[in-house]
Amino acid sequence: ASADRWLPVVTGAAQPASVRDSSLDAIETDAFEFGWRGHFSRTEAQLALFYNASDKTATFDGQFAAMLDQDQRVYGVEGSLTYYQSAALSWGGSFSWQKGETKAAGGGWNALTAWDVSPPKAHAFVAWDQPRYSLYLQVSHVADYDDAADDNVANAVDIDGYTTIDFSANCRLGPGTLGFAVDNLLDEDYASVYAQQAGAIYGTFTRVASLGRRVGVSYSVDY
């Protein structure tokens, strides 16, 4: 379907477009969410399901925002769990999965790009807490996402997933706390989801690799 409303974001040397002066219609959205949270002797857990349905679809091609008279739906699930192994040791994780689609002219549904929906994500951690020091290790994973590219959606791109590991430690030392942290411990070479998706809109120069391994040391005093 073609756009029936356009809002220019950049108009050369002219003044930026004003949303107040545009003819963009409002988007009506019905949102539904169901959540559960439980606390047991050593376990905390929560789960949420959601479904959003809109009567229009907004798109952006780098220069123009377009309002399409196409139904849109976004739905998914997310949850988390923490288990307290002992007074000092705890571990757990979280996950999220969502799917977004817009109604195609032929009556089917096409996937939304990574501008609108996030790829599946998972996170796991283990923590060790003592009165004078603490240790924390986490693993974060972003999955591949190619639904929109498979549907031949404009400006869609195959999102390459990646996994990062981070570690931090804190220790009471003198009047303050000494901190040590390593981000991207394994020096993973990756581009963020935003950088990958932006490359399809603005060109490959926007697909900038994320930072590699970073080591930081800090000392803080509360007063």
Side-chain angles (χ1 to χ4, degrees):
S2 60
D4 64 346
R5 297 290 188 272
W6 291 90
L7 171 63
V9 177
V10 178
T11 56
Q15 294 296 319
S18 170
V19 174
R20 178 182 300 175
D21 298 332
S22 75
S23 58
L24 288 175
D25 294 330
I27 299 177
E28 181 179 334
T29 301
D30 296 320
F32 307 90
E33 184 171 352
F34 172 79
W36 170 86
R37 179 177 297 170
H39 181 79
F40 308 98
S41 59
R42 293 188 176 185
T43 305
E44 294 179 355
Q46 58 184 17
L47 183 70
L49 307 173
F50 62 89
Y51 181 91
N52 302 326
S54 304
D55 64 341
K56 292 180 177 62
T57 298
T59 65
F60 179 65
D61 65 1
Q63 184 177 9
F64 292 96
M67 193 75 72
L68 308 181
D69 282 323
Q70 299 175 187
D71 291 342
Q72 176 180 294
R73 62 188 184 188
V74 178
Y75 52 93
V77 58
E78 55 187 27
S80 64
L81 180 144
T82 300
Y83 181 74
Y84 297 93
Q85 188 81 38
S86 65
L89 178 64
S90 62
W91 53 266
S94 62
F95 73 93
S96 66
W97 175 91
Q98 61 179 271
K99 188 174 182 65
E101 299 171 310
T102 182
K103 195 69 171 290
W109 292 88
N110 287 333
L112 297 175
T113 69
W115 279 134
D116 302 293
V117 295
S118 298
K121 300 178 182 179
H123 166 259
F125 75 90
V126 58
W128 180 264
D129 291 303
Q130 292 288 350
R132 293 194 58 84
Y133 70 93
S134 63
L135 305 173
Y136 186 84
L137 180 70
Q138 69 173 11
V139 180
S140 301
H141 175 70
V142 175
D144 296 340
Y145 180 74
D146 55 10
D147 293 355
D150 289 345
D151 289 342
N152 297 315
V153 175
N155 298 318
V157 61
D158 287 337
I159 300 297
D160 295 325
Y162 49 87
T163 301
T164 58
I165 301 176
D166 305 310
F167 171 78
S168 63
N170 292 282
C171 177
R172 293 291 299 177
L173 184 64
T177 301
L178 177 66
F180 174 79
V182 183
D183 296 332
N184 195 2
L185 182 65
L186 300 183
D187 200 23
E188 175 82 357
D189 183 8
Y190 72 99
S192 69
V193 173
Y194 173 82
Q196 294 183 56
Q197 179 59 56
I201 302 293
Y202 303 109
T204 55
F205 73 94
T206 62
R207 187 184 168 113
V208 179
S210 296
L211 294 175
R213 184 186 300 113
R214 290 172 292 164
V215 178
V217 178
S218 65
Y219 186 78
S220 60
V221 177
D222 295 331
Y223 60 93

